[in-house]
Amino acid sequence: MDVQWLLAMAAAGLLVRGGSVLYGSGLARSKFAAGAILRNFADFSIAALSFWLVGAAIQLAPSGGIFGFDSSLFLGPAGIDDAAPLMLLVMLLTATHVVPAAMAERSRFFPLWAAAALLGGVVLPVTGHWIWSDAGWLRQWGVTDIGGVMALHVPAGVCALVGAIWVGPRMGKYNRDRSGNAIPSHNVPLAASGVMLMLIGWIPYLLGSAMLHGGATFAVASNTLLAACAGGVVALLVGRWRYGKPEVSLTFSGILGAMVAVSGCAAETTAMGGGHPLAIILIGAAAGLIVPLATVSLDLMFKVDDPSGLIAVHLCGGIWGAVAGAFVIPADFFGRIQMLGNHVIALAAIIMFAAVMSIALFALLRRTCGLRVSEADEFDGLDLAEHDINAYPDFQQTMIKSYHLREA
């Protein structure tokens, strides 16, 4: 393994988090934009520290099929002269941002720190240990996941889904007759810039992940790009078919969902495609259909309010990617069937584990410190209520308590 290249891929992979900041703030309403940015930074910091202090000792443990723990790595793997912990940390951070984004505009600021700590310190390291550690029980079963589609994105999506259900929908989102109202975002160009930046960062993220797990090829970059493009094209057609016009937010979901779906098998092009990236393009195209429809279904049918649409991107796109990977990675029919069974079992175990941990956490937070802000604060906007700031002060004429007045 080329340590210098792996470090470069890890640094470039952090662009995914930069894109998530722009994406989340752009999709939020203007009175929540600054808070959305700060929540993303807080989640990034808490998840990173939790992984470095505790999570690395779990994920990198050389033993323990279900739960391993290396005491020498507890409170930070500072003694390891290896780029692997940093790359694993970057991979983990591509998934944790889904929780604050899904619970945006009505959740309290500090309780979300607990969710970031749980994901970064326990949930994602445990699922990563199951799949990537030589001692992990899913690894021994033959589960293959190069980029973390099952190890990272599916459990993060489950946690975000549980959190969005527990905190409830935004005011005015649903009517008494159970019909829904569209709450438009405040800055579509900002969200679009975030999608593009995430795509730019996703390529080195998957390259670094493939290098770390022994499957690095130059095809990873082209496969990621082609899958994202296929997902975007199909999502455009889905919007045209369903609403008569191409729909912007669903197109974003299709692109991001394809990027998540291809994460598990971006290094593989040999089965359905006959040595060509056709299989990867088909996976991305199918994600461009599945994820936008799942986004609409979660909103209109199940009344799950997700301002970002990232629950469907990570959870539904991840599930599809895990299933599709079973048909791409093995070279023969019976191998594909066995791999599919292994991946289904892995998905069931990961979803159940993440759901139990998330339900316990959010139930505890709701009964103790509370998850949701007051109606008055939500009406005024959390930028003002929690941070005493406006993202656009030239256009938002609201009295703000400056630091000088608070210190007086």
Side-chain angles (χ1 to χ4, degrees):
M1 184 192 305
D2 193 324
V3 175
Q4 287 75 21
W5 273 108
L6 193 60
L7 287 173
M9 294 301 101
L14 289 176
L15 290 172
V16 175
R17 283 307 297 237
S20 70
V21 173
L22 300 180
Y23 185 72
S25 61
L27 291 183
R29 285 174 285 178
S30 59
K31 61 183 179 180
F32 300 98
I37 294 173
L38 192 59
R39 287 160 189 259
N40 211 308
F41 276 104
D43 171 84
F44 174 90
S45 303
I46 298 299
L49 290 173
S50 299
F51 175 80
W52 209 252
L53 295 175
V54 180
I58 298 173
Q59 185 162 339
L60 296 172
S63 61
I66 295 179
F67 185 86
F69 191 83
D70 187 346
S71 59
S72 66
L73 301 178
F74 182 54
L75 300 181
I80 295 183
D81 187 17
D82 192 355
L86 177 60
M87 191 64 232
L88 290 172
L89 173 59
V90 171
M91 294 167 63
L92 179 143
L93 292 174
T94 62
T96 59
H97 69 100
V98 62
V99 176
M103 300 174 65
E105 300 193 12
R106 74 275 199 199
S107 59
R108 298 180 62 200
F109 182 77
F110 286 104
L112 289 184
W113 289 25
L118 181 72
L119 275 179
V122 180
V123 175
L124 300 187
V126 168
T127 54
H129 177 77
W130 288 354
I131 293 177
W132 289 324
S133 173
D134 291 336
W137 70 282
L138 291 179
R139 172 72 175 270
Q140 294 179 352
W141 274 37
V143 172
T144 302
D145 181 7
I146 293 294
V149 65
M150 288 181 285
L152 304 177
H153 298 289
V154 168
V158 171
C159 186
L161 176 62
V162 173
I165 292 173
W166 272 96
V167 78
R170 292 168 288 175
M171 288 192 309
K173 176 60 181 175
Y174 300 112
N175 303 314
R176 290 186 178 182
D177 61 357
R178 294 185 60 79
S179 60
N181 300 312
I183 301 179
S185 57
H186 89 281
N187 196 323
V188 173
L190 197 64
S193 301
V195 173
M196 184 57 67
L197 194 59
M198 281 191 276
L199 176 58
I200 294 171
W202 212 272
I203 293 174
Y205 147 59
L206 284 186
L207 279 170
S209 178
M211 290 176 63
L212 185 65
H213 297 112
T217 65
F218 287 108
V220 173
S222 60
N223 288 343
T224 305
L225 183 59
L226 289 172
C229 293
V233 168
V234 172
L236 281 168
L237 297 176
V238 169
R240 178 67 175 84
W241 160 70
R242 188 178 180 95
Y243 302 107
K245 298 179 181 179
E247 216 284 335
V248 175
S249 61
L250 292 186
T251 303
F252 294 163
S253 296
I255 295 172
L256 296 175
M259 289 157 52
V260 169
V262 79
S263 296
C265 56
E268 305 292 338
T269 60
T270 58
M272 293 170 58
H276 298 284
L278 176 61
I280 302 297
I281 293 175
L282 292 176
I283 291 173
L289 173 66
I290 294 170
V291 173
L293 293 180
T295 301
V296 174
S297 299
L298 285 172
D299 184 3
L300 299 182
M301 294 179 59
F302 299 100
K303 310 303 177 186
V304 176
D305 185 14
D306 176 13
S308 65
L310 288 178
I311 294 176
V313 167
H314 287 263
L315 180 56
C316 301
I319 291 173
W320 161 242
V323 172
F327 293 95
V328 175
I329 297 171
D332 61 275
F333 175 77
F334 292 104
R336 295 173 190 170
I337 297 300
Q338 182 179 6
M339 180 71 77
L340 177 61
N342 293 340
H343 282 197
V344 169
I345 293 173
L347 284 171
I350 289 169
I351 290 173
M352 184 177 300
F353 171 69
V356 169
M357 296 293 290
S358 302
I359 290 172
L361 173 69
F362 288 117
L364 178 64
L365 291 175
R366 188 173 179 178
R367 292 181 63 88
T368 54
C369 59
L371 277 175
R372 191 175 181 116
V373 300
S374 66
E375 290 187 3
D377 287 347
E378 186 176 352
F379 181 82
D380 291 338
L382 299 185
D383 287 359
L384 178 64
E386 291 195 330
H387 310 294
D388 275 341
I389 194 173
N390 280 334
Y392 306 97
D394 292 338
F395 304 100
Q396 296 170 303
Q397 301 300 322
T398 308
M399 181 62 66
I400 300 174
K401 296 179 181 178
S402 70
Y403 291 108
H404 304 287
L405 291 178
R406 288 200 295 267
E407 293 292 337

